[in-house]
Amino acid sequence: MSVLRPQDQLPGLNAATILLVGTDDALLQQLADAMLKEDCASTLKVHLAQSLPLPSNVNRPRIDLIVFVVNLHSKYSLQNVEESLHHVDATFFLGKVGFLATGAGQDNHCSIHRNTVLRLAHTYRSPLFFCDLEVEGFRATMAQRLVRMLQICAGHVPGVSALNLLSLMRSSENPFLEDV
Amino acid sequence: MDETVAEFIKRTILKIPMTKMMTVLKAWDFLSENQLQTVNFRKRKESLAQDLVLLCEENGVSLNDAALLDIIYTQFHRHQRVWDLFQMAKEPGEDIDLSDMEQFKSSFKKILQRALKNVTVTFRDTEENAVWIRIAWGTQYRKPNQYKPAYVMYYSQTPYAFISFSQLRSNTPLLCQALTIASKHHQIVKMDLRSRYLDSLKAIVFKQYNQNFETHNSATHLQERRLGLDINMDSRIIHENRIEKDRVHRVTQEIFGDYSQPRLEFAQYKLETKFKSDLNGGILAEREEPLRCLVKFSSPHLLEALKSLASAGIADAPLSPLLTCIPSKGMNYFKIKDK
């Protein structure tokens, strides 16, 4: 399948799977390790991909949350994410997609403006997180947030759905971009 | 004893870091074991230097001995200077002359002394048939300036010399000429290779960097590596692009090999090409003159950084041959023109 759809498969029992998409393999690996260190009632699985579409001949569980990781130091990583977004079905963007921008702390290495990723996240109506994945403390906190978000997206938190979470997070968005 | 020599020795000793002090003095071999034992090395450097200078005076130190100490200091701190590669050539048809090292040294010294009345030339042999030459420049009327020397490292059975020029640049042609004539060559050319790391330059020039001691073929090696990686990795992490990752790893290995790369700090590309653009029109397109542009890559360890670009996801593999040809071509300055 060249396009990822959220309801293409039946969910696994107590399983929650996240897909991290980004060019910075080392950072994705570290984030994955940090997420798996968290205490979680659900069975977590982390899939790492450089880009979409994913290879088609593989058996994989249902993906509950996709996080696109953009490295602000690399235009190539933004380009890669933009191209990968074409391979995600529109229904995924109802709370099951997030953007993560790393590298904002080193301003002189940034070749992508903050507004570019803000606009990207706004276009796809999905939350955007800024987190310097290279710093262990920030990475651990981000991992915690992602695990909670993943549990909600997988439906493991009673009373809260992915769409609920999305509308809750939207109210704190930058108001000036609403007009764009 | 000449006061300038004493001052020169004192200043050289003050440059030596305390951790290396004993090693350097022993390598110099001018002060005896007994004399070194009488010195208190825990003193402050200023007074330690004065004690050592007094001992040197007792032994009757000469300018040559002092220059030798400077050479040894530089040998231990070769990365503090920038080294250029020079290649000499003989006349076509000339036989390889197995010239005598002593003959070379006396000839070199004579040529410089004939041109400039005041010049200090000191030699120190090393293993591998190489000699370090230190030259302190003066003029017809002024004594040599011992604090701005030039250094040459010459491999006698090869046409290669590594030169680190002094700040007194006007003597460069004379130095090159002396080197060429004394070694019985016809001409000398500056190659496009420069770095602080003399040992890496040597490795590149003499093709010693690809010491690969792998005995089994690379495919099985990759398998073993991958198994090793899997054991450490959590089975809950799945790499979707495993095939691509392996391909990138394999291509990188093929190009860069398994060994550690020689150390360079930069690569510079001077472009003199016409601007090519996919977009029609535009300010830079359709110009007759080439666009002049300089691209410089710098890094504490350039080749290792280039090697890790593809696996870090910053560049596609295989890398441009302009980057990967650096050790094999032995250049880190490039001029790129339209064909």
Side-chain angles (χ1 to χ4, degrees):
Chain A
M1 54 173 160
S2 67
V3 172
L4 281 175
R5 272 175 253 272
Q7 307 297 347
D8 245 351
Q9 281 164 280
L10 289 174
L13 187 61
N14 205 32
T17 309
I18 182 174
L19 173 66
L20 297 174
V21 180
T23 50
D24 243 304
D25 198 49
L27 287 181
L28 293 192
Q29 177 78 48
Q30 287 178 315
L31 181 59
D33 287 330
M35 284 183 72
L36 292 172
K37 282 207 189 89
E38 292 296 313
D39 256 331
C40 181
S42 330
T43 317
L44 292 183
K45 267 226 170 92
V46 183
H47 283 239
L48 303 177
Q50 282 258 26
S51 62
L52 299 177
L54 298 176
S56 53
N57 49 354
V58 174
N59 245 353
R60 67 175 68 84
R62 182 187 79 165
I63 293 174
D64 299 304
L65 172 63
I66 308 179
V67 176
F68 290 96
V69 179
V70 176
N71 189 341
L72 292 179
H73 301 176
S74 157
K75 286 205 172 90
Y76 177 59
S77 89
L78 177 65
Q79 199 185 356
N80 180 57
V81 162
E82 284 172 340
E83 284 165 4
S84 303
L85 281 164
H86 300 318
H87 298 273
V88 180
D89 186 60
T91 46
F92 241 116
F93 295 100
L94 294 170
K96 295 197 176 192
V97 171
F99 292 91
L100 179 73
T102 180
Q106 291 162 304
D107 203 37
N108 50 350
H109 288 141
C110 285
S111 52
I112 303 172
H113 201 279
R114 277 184 92 238
N115 273 343
T116 314
V117 275
L118 275 167
R119 213 178 302 266
L120 180 69
H122 183 76
T123 310
Y124 286 94
R125 300 295 189 270
S126 297
L128 169 63
F129 304 104
F130 283 96
C131 170
D132 266 326
L133 290 177
E134 304 203 14
V135 181
E136 211 199 309
F138 298 158
R139 191 170 65 226
T141 319
M142 192 70 240
Q144 274 183 337
R145 285 183 82 169
L146 287 179
V147 168
R148 297 291 157 256
M149 215 177 137
L150 175 61
Q151 284 185 297
I152 294 171
C153 293
H156 294 185
V157 179
V160 189
S161 73
L163 204 47
N164 285 155
L165 181 63
L166 183 62
S167 19
L168 279 172
M169 292 200 345
R170 280 268 288 249
S171 53
S172 58
E173 222 174 83
N174 194 340
F176 114 99
L177 267 187
E178 292 290 348
D179 305 321
V180 170
Chain B
M1 186 180 77
D2 198 350
E3 269 204 9
T4 53
V5 176
E7 180 64 22
F8 178 34
I9 295 182
K10 182 163 150 228
R11 287 216 219 164
T12 312
I13 292 175
L14 285 175
K15 277 199 294 189
I16 307 172
M18 282 313 291
T19 47
K20 293 222 178 86
M21 186 66 77
M22 240 344 193
T23 326
V24 172
L25 289 174
K26 286 223 173 94
W28 190 30
D29 203 22
F30 181 75
L31 299 170
S32 68
E33 269 292 332
N34 292 334
Q35 282 177 311
L36 287 176
Q37 277 179 3
T38 63
V39 177
N40 178 4
F41 283 90
R42 288 182 209 269
K43 277 187 179 186
R44 281 182 67 237
K45 231 184 186 183
E46 270 282 344
S47 57
L48 169 65
Q50 272 166 351
D51 288 351
L52 288 169
V53 169
L54 283 170
L55 283 177
C56 290
E57 282 182 355
E58 277 176 26
N59 284 14
V61 69
S62 69
L63 180 58
N64 200 53
D65 298 312
L68 261 175
L69 179 63
D70 198 22
I71 295 185
I72 296 173
Y73 168 79
T74 308
Q75 284 177 324
F76 274 94
H77 297 95
R78 42 187 89 176
H79 56 276
Q80 286 180 352
R81 301 185 72 104
V82 179
W83 301 88
D84 280 299
L85 172 68
F86 282 76
Q87 184 170 1
M88 296 182 278
K90 293 201 188 271
E91 279 271 29
E94 236 179 66
D95 283 330
I96 299 172
D97 203 350
L98 292 167
S99 53
D100 187 4
M101 189 56 118
E102 295 308 314
Q103 195 184 30
F104 163 76
K105 287 187 204 173
S106 73
S107 175
F108 183 79
K109 200 165 182 172
K110 273 207 207 102
I111 296 172
L112 288 181
Q113 281 172 336
R114 242 184 274 146
L116 293 171
K117 203 166 69 160
N118 290 305
V119 64
T120 315
V121 183
T122 325
F123 300 95
R124 187 167 195 249
D125 291 324
T126 63
E127 32 355 281
E128 314 162 336
N129 278 323
V131 63
W132 277 67
I133 315 172
R134 176 183 182 276
I135 306 114
W137 304 103
T139 65
Q140 295 282 6
Y141 309 105
R142 249 190 282 135
K143 290 213 133 202
N145 182 343
Q146 299 297 338
Y147 301 101
K148 294 190 178 164
Y151 281 92
V152 177
M153 200 201 176
Y154 171 53
Y155 280 85
S156 59
Q157 303 303 328
T158 75
Y160 297 109
F162 300 96
I163 306 184
S164 173
F165 291 109
S166 82
Q167 292 154 328
L168 305 168
R169 282 297 182 126
S170 54
N171 297 301
T172 305
L174 177 59
L175 173 56
C176 294
Q177 198 181 37
L179 192 58
T180 318
I181 298 175
S183 61
K184 302 220 174 99
H185 283 90
H186 180 66
Q187 69 173 72
I188 185 167
V189 174
K190 179 162 184 244
M191 307 301 282
D192 295 317
L193 185 62
R194 166 193 278 200
S195 171
R196 285 183 179 276
Y197 302 102
L198 188 55
D199 298 320
S200 292
L201 289 179
K202 263 196 288 182
I204 292 176
V205 168
F206 299 122
K207 306 266 182 248
Q208 291 166 339
Y209 56 89
N210 47 6
Q211 303 299 319
N212 193 350
F213 296 108
E214 300 298 340
T215 47
H216 40 254
N217 72 50
S218 49
T220 53
H221 192 66
L222 185 65
Q223 279 286 349
E224 283 178 11
R225 278 248 200 93
R226 197 197 303 174
L227 286 172
L229 273 175
D230 280 346
I231 295 167
N232 293 329
M233 259 193 350
D234 202 314
S235 60
R236 293 174 291 173
I237 301 178
I238 294 111
H239 287 266
E240 292 283 346
N241 302 106
R242 166 116 273 154
I243 299 173
E244 178 63 14
K245 267 180 68 142
D246 286 342
R247 182 195 75 90
V248 164
H249 184 83
R250 190 175 32 89
V251 168
T252 309
Q253 287 280 81
E254 272 167 30
I255 295 177
F256 288 94
D258 223 359
Y259 40 84
S260 59
Q261 303 289 318
R263 192 170 178 184
L264 295 173
E265 318 88 84
F266 62 88
Q268 189 170 292
Y269 298 84
K270 209 168 188 178
L271 299 175
E272 277 168 28
T273 54
K274 280 171 59 166
F275 187 79
K276 291 188 188 94
S277 169
D278 291 330
L279 313 160
N280 285 326
I283 295 176
L284 292 171
E286 317 264 348
R287 280 187 172 208
E288 275 313 307
E289 327 91 60
L291 189 73
R292 262 168 263 250
C293 169
L294 190 79
V295 179
K296 185 172 178 179
F297 294 90
S298 11
S299 164
H301 198 325
L302 182 73
L303 294 176
E304 284 292 338
L306 291 177
K307 186 174 175 180
S308 53
L309 277 182
S311 47
I314 300 173
D316 285 327
L319 283 181
S320 159
L322 282 172
L323 292 170
T324 55
C325 70
I326 293 172
S328 56
K329 276 209 178 142
M331 297 167 72
N332 63 352
Y333 276 85
F334 295 86
K335 269 207 184 73
I336 303 170
K337 294 200 162 95
D338 280 323
K339 290 216 179 80

